Amino acid sequence: MLLSEKEKIVANLPYGDGFKFVDQLLELTDDHVIGIYRFRESEYFYKHHFTNKPVTPGVILQECMAQIGLACLGSYLLKDQPSKPQFVFTEAHVHFLNQVLPGTTVIVSAKKEYFRFNKLKVVVQMLDENEQKIAEGWMSGMILNQPHDSGDQPNQ
C-alpha cells in the first residue's frame, strides 16, 4: 500500500507512539497545515493529572500544536532535501481558553508566518470537534538537517 505524502510525514515524525499527538493531516501546503488528534481515554497522563476528573495538561496541548504546526509543516517544507530534519522547539506564546477532556478530538491549524534560516514561526489555533476554541497563539522552532543514516543527535 502506498502512503500519501501527508501519511508519510505523520509516519516519519521522530516521536514514539506514546508521544505522537498527530492522527491525520487534513490539509498541507507551503503556507499552512491542518491536522487532528483524538486524546484517548487511555493516555498515560490522565491517571495522574487531576486524578478524580482528568484533564489534558496544557503542555501536552502545546506539544500537539507544535507537532502539527511545526514538525509536520517543517517536514513538508523540507520534503525535497536529501537529509532527515530534526526539530528543536524554541518558543511559544499560547493562550489557553478551554480544557480538553479525555476522548476529545482536536483540530489544529497553523499558518506559516515565516520560514527563513531554518527557523519556522507559525500562528496556531486549536479547536475541539464542536469547533470550540481551545487555544491560540504562535510558536516557533528550528529545523536542523541531519543525514538520513546518522545516529547523531543535535547538540543540546
Side-chain angles (χ1 to χ4, degrees), residues 70-137:
L70 293 173
C72 290
L73 183 57
S75 292
Y76 181 77
L77 293 172
L78 294 174
K79 67 184 179 292
D80 296 327
Q81 298 294 319
S83 59
K84 183 177 179 180
Q86 294 288 324
F87 306 95
V88 180
F89 183 76
T90 56
E91 61 185 311
H93 185 79
V94 175
H95 294 281
F96 294 95
L97 307 167
N98 285 294
Q99 58 186 343
V100 172
L101 301 176
T104 300
T105 297
V106 296
I107 302 101
V108 175
S109 60
K111 184 175 190 288
K112 178 179 73 177
E113 189 163 299
Y114 65 77
F115 179 52
R116 60 181 170 266
F117 306 115
N118 278 357
K119 184 169 186 177
L120 175 61
K121 181 178 180 183
V122 295
V123 176
V124 67
Q125 172 179 272
M126 177 183 278
L127 305 175
D128 68 14
E129 65 263 15
N130 299 313
E131 297 186 11
Q132 177 175 286
K133 194 178 292 186
I134 302 300
E136 64 184 355

